[in-house]
Every structure is written in structure tokens, then in C-alpha cells.
């Protein structure tokens, strides 16, 4: 083989090796990018009941659930809890113990259950001093729930003119409230935080909008410390509640989701730790009805 031929052959070999190396690098880069995209997609997934869904999909599904059940929401609460939810909410407000001049933000409070109890509590304290204007802002991400609450407020006399308490209604996301910093002295959320995609963001927002010294309070379904009682409660939840939903509200799936969402929510101690991580201090909790629900409390200090 002549010198020119050998040189040409070597150049061809070098070109082929270079081409192969480039293809390998391209494949490796593409594979890595695909892997990263898949990992990113996984990291953006969350639970909707017992199902795994994308975060954006959960928001839509939860919104649909409460759009569907808004009109029968209070009736179903009575049926599912045998009316005990009313006692839980009464205890919740008594633990808050608001005074005249309190500025309350009630999140996920669309139908007004907590806000109306707050107004009643203030009425029972007697006439408010002239320089003490109490207020409540009812915030909910679902306009249908707020519409139900507004109608109830008008029918039952929970307006500023009749109650003396300034009542505002706000359609807003608990994870990104359209409210200024340090603007409330109390924050309540009852049976709502477990439906949020990012519980940590809800807690951070609660901390942000509360003024120093302000109090955070959450009423939520929890876990029974007794395994035998938890088993009985599970049987009731999964076998009875969806059936009641179908019979009373004509809806099975929304109430199946509500039961599943309760089981996915952190237990009392873990949730307490999450509240502390958000910056709250003096965090405590109290079990009601053996731990079926729990009241968590913390202060912005």
C-alpha cells in the first residue's frame, strides 16, 4: 500500500471514530436530558386522594369537587359526621377566643361556618368599644363556595349593618394570597388545608399575612392513635360516607376523594412539625373525638 493510500485510510478511520464519538455524546446528552425531564415531571406530581396526579391536575380536580358539592356541602357535613362537625367548630372558635378588634382571615371558609361562629362569639361578649372594629375576611379559591356563604350571610344577618363586624369575601388561592403582609391578628382554616397541593406554602402564606403576635389555628381531620378505633373509623369512612354522598347529594366520587384525602394528610405530630418549620412558635394540638379531628395552634412571634 502506497504512502498516500495509507494516509488516506488513516484519515478515514479517524473521521469515523470522531463521528461515532459525537453520536455517543449526543445520545448520552439526550438520554440525560430525557431522564432529567422525567425526574422533573415526577417531582411535580402529588396525590389526589389515593391517585398520583400532576400538581396542576390536582388543583383542577379539587376545584371540580367543591364546585360539585357546594350547594349540599353543609348538609353532607351533617350526614357524614352525624352533626358532630358543629360541635368541633364551636370548640374551635372557643379555643381561638377572639376579642373585639380582632382582624380574622378565614381561609377555605367559603360557606361561612367559621366566620359566622366568630361573629356570634363577639356578639356574646357584649357591645364593642367605639375604637374596636372587628373584621373577618372569608377567603376561598372556589367562587361557588363563596356564593353559598354570601347568600347564607344575607339570609341569617351576618352583615356589617346587622352584626357590626366588617365582613369581606375574597376569591384567592391559599398558597398565594392576594393580601398584604402583617395584616391580620388571627388566621383560621377548617377542613381545607388537606385539599391544598403544597401545605408548606399555605403555612408560609399564613405566617406572612399575620401580624407579629398573630395566631394561626387549623381544624382538620387527623389520625386516631388507637389502631382498633382507626380500623373501625376507616370502615365507616370508606363503606358509608361515599354511599351517603350518592344518596343525599347524588355524588359518589367527590366524597370518595374526601375520605381518601383524610388518609393522606399528615398525622398530628408531623403536621405540628410543618407548622413549626413555617416559623410559628408555641405550636400545640388538641385531639377531638379520640383524634378524628385535631386543632393545631401556633403564634407568629
Amino acid at each position: 500500500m502506497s504512502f498516500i493510500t495509507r494516509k488516506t485510510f488513516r484519515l478515514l478511520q479517524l473521521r469515523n471514530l470522531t463521528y461515532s464519538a459525537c453520536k455517543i455524546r449526543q445520545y448520552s446528552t439526550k438520554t440525560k436530558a430525557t431522564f432529567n425531564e422525567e425526574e422533573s415531571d415526577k417531582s411535580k406530581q402529588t396525590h389526589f386522594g389515593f391517585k398520583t396526579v400532576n400538581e396542576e391536575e390536582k388543583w383542577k380536580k379539587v376545584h371540580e369537587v367543591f364546585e360539585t358539592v357546594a350547594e349540599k356541602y353543609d348538609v353532607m357535613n351533617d350526614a357524614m359526621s352525624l352533626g358532630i362537625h358543629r360541635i368541633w367548630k364551636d370548640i374551635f372558635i372557643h379555643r381561638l377566643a377572639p376579642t373585639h378588634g380582632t382582624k380574622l382571615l378565614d381561609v377555605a371558609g367559603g360557606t361561612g361556618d367559621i366566620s359566622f361562629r366568630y361573629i356570634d362569639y363577639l356578639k356574646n361578649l357584649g357591645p364593642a368599644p367605639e375604637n374596636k372594629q372587628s373584621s373577618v375576611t372569608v377567603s376561598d379559591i372556589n367562587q361557588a363556595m363563596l356564593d353559598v356563604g354570601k347568600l347564607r350571610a344575607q339570609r341569617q344577618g351576618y352583615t356589617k349593618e346587622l352584626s357590626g363586624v366588617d365582613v369581606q369575601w375574597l376569591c384567592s388561592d391559599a398558597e398565594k394570597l392576594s393580601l398584604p403582609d402583617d395584616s391580620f391578628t388571627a388566621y383560621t382554616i377548617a377542613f381545607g388545608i388537606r385539599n391544598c397541593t403544597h401545605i408548606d406554602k399555605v403555612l408560609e402564606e399564613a405566617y406572612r399575612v399575620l401580624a407579629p403576635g398573630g395566631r394561626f389555628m387549623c381544624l382538620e381531620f387527623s389520625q386516631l392513635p388507637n389502631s382498633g378505633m382507626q380500623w373501625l373509623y376507616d370502615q365507616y369512612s370508606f363503606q358509608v360516607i361515599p354511599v351517603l354522598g350518592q344518596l343525599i347529594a347524588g355524588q359518589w366520587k367527590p366524597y370518595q376523594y374526601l375520605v381518601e384525602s383524610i388518609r393522606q394528610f399528615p398525622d398530628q405530630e408531623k403536621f405540628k412539625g410543618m407548622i413549626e418549620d413555617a416559623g410559628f412558635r408555641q405550636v400545640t394540638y388538641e385531639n377531638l373525638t379520640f383524634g378524628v379531628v385535631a386543632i393545631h395552634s401556633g403564634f407568629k412571634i
Side-chain angles (χ1 to χ4, degrees):
M1 184 181 294
S2 67
F3 173 75
I4 295 176
T5 304
R6 286 198 302 273
K7 188 172 182 181
T8 302
F9 180 72
R10 287 173 182 169
L11 286 172
L12 286 171
Q13 280 185 315
L14 182 61
R15 190 190 71 175
N16 288 337
L17 287 171
T18 303
Y19 176 76
S20 297
C22 287
K23 290 296 286 182
I24 290 171
R25 282 197 297 270
Q26 288 175 359
Y27 177 76
S28 175
T29 303
K30 186 176 181 181
T31 302
K32 187 176 181 180
T34 304
F35 176 76
N36 288 338
E37 287 175 6
E38 290 175 351
E39 286 297 303
S40 177
D41 288 341
K42 286 181 181 178
S43 67
K44 292 181 180 178
Q45 290 185 329
T46 187
H47 59 81
F48 176 76
F50 290 158
K51 297 178 182 177
T52 299
V53 298
N54 292 331
E55 290 181 353
E56 183 64 24
E57 188 180 359
K58 176 173 180 175
W59 183 90
K60 292 177 181 177
K61 284 181 175 291
V62 171
H63 193 270
E64 289 171 1
V65 164
F66 287 95
E67 284 278 348
T68 302
V69 304
E71 291 185 3
K72 295 288 183 71
Y73 185 72
D74 292 319
V75 176
M76 275 304 302
N77 280 342
D78 282 331
M80 289 189 299
S81 69
L82 306 178
I84 299 174
H85 77 100
R86 297 176 182 272
I87 298 173
W88 294 334
K89 291 169 183 174
D90 288 342
I91 294 172
F92 184 57
I93 286 298
H94 277 80
R95 295 294 183 269
L96 176 63
T99 57
H100 290 303
T102 297
K103 294 182 178 180
L104 173 66
L105 173 63
D106 182 31
V107 176
T111 59
D113 262 11
I114 299 302
S115 298
F116 300 161
R117 282 172 169 78
Y118 162 75
I119 293 171
D120 286 339
Y121 189 95
L122 293 177
K123 283 182 181 177
N124 290 332
L125 294 178
E130 290 184 7
N131 62 336
K132 296 284 187 179
Q133 176 61 60
S134 304
S135 68
V136 57
T137 298
V138 186
S139 175
D140 202 295
I141 198 172
N142 193 295
Q143 187 60 50
M145 298 289 279
L146 289 168
D147 291 341
V148 171
K150 286 180 183 179
L151 186 60
R152 287 182 64 198
Q154 291 169 1
R155 287 176 176 173
Q156 298 176 27
Y158 292 106
T159 61
K160 184 176 182 179
E161 294 74 21
L162 295 174
S163 70
V165 177
D166 187 16
V167 183
Q168 301 293 326
W169 302 84
L170 175 68
C171 190
S172 188
D173 185 346
E175 296 183 13
K176 44 187 176 183
L177 294 166
S178 51
L179 294 165
D181 297 355
D182 305 332
S183 49
F184 296 91
T185 58
Y187 175 114
T188 54
I189 182 166
F191 304 120
I193 199 168
R194 75 179 189 281
N195 297 308
C196 299
T197 305
H198 304 101
I199 296 172
D200 56 339
K201 289 184 180 179
V202 176
L203 295 171
E204 288 168 5
E205 277 293 90
Y207 190 86
R208 180 184 67 80
V209 300
L210 277 171
R215 189 177 188 184
F216 166 86
M217 289 192 67
C218 176
L219 174 65
E220 188 55 87
F221 288 106
S222 200
Q223 308 298 325
L224 281 71
N226 183 291
S227 59
M229 294 185 69
Q230 181 68 52
W231 182 85
L232 289 172
Y233 178 49
D234 285 343
Q235 300 310 302
Y236 171 77
S237 297
F238 287 99
Q239 303 300 324
V240 177
I241 289 178
V243 176
L244 288 175
Q246 184 65 47
L247 293 174
I248 296 172
Q251 299 287 339
W252 179 291
K253 289 185 178 179
Y255 293 97
Q256 180 73 27
Y257 157 72
L258 291 176
V259 171
E260 293 176 359
S261 69
I262 293 168
R263 296 302 171 273
Q264 294 283 44
F265 191 69
D267 64 25
Q268 291 90 322
E269 280 294 327
K270 185 173 181 181
F271 187 47
K272 177 177 180 283
M274 295 176 73
I275 297 170
E276 290 171 335
D277 289 343
F280 290 101
R281 296 294 175 261
Q282 298 180 13
V283 180
T284 59
Y285 66 84
E286 174 186 1
N287 286 332
L288 303 180
T289 317
F290 310 108
V292 172
V293 301
I295 297 173
H296 280 76
S297 169
F299 291 87
K300 179 177 178 177
I301 299 175

